[in-house]
Amino acid sequence: MYELDCSGVIPGCQRIIRAETQAEVFRRAVVQAKQLGVARITPKMLDTMRQKTREMAN
């Protein structure tokens, strides 16, 4: 299980995104960003997502 606290990564986001894979966390984060009006996911935003995504113990 992976987890991303998207506050500080996606403007206006206050969610914690969890999924079985890191790729699914990123996909959900991109969907969340678009719902919050982010028109473009920048390389810096993706780097921050990678840095802040944690693998959780089951």
Side-chain angles (χ1 to χ4, degrees):
M1 176 73 67
Y2 291 85
E3 176 179 280
L4 170 66
D5 179 352
C6 70
S7 63
V9 179
I10 301 168
C13 185
Q14 300 300 318
R15 290 185 55 205
I16 298 201
I17 299 169
R18 293 183 183 96
E20 290 298 319
T21 66
Q22 194 172 27
E24 182 63 14
V25 168
F26 292 160
R27 188 194 71 74
R28 290 179 187 185
V30 168
V31 169
Q32 180 67 35
K34 291 184 183 220
Q35 289 175 346
L36 291 169
V38 176
R40 182 173 174 267
I41 305 299
T42 64
K44 183 178 180 184
M45 192 180 291
L46 285 174
D47 287 342
T48 304
M49 281 184 204
R50 283 185 196 98
Q51 291 170 0
K52 292 197 170 200
T53 298
R54 299 182 294 156
E55 186 170 6
M56 307 302 292
N58 289 336

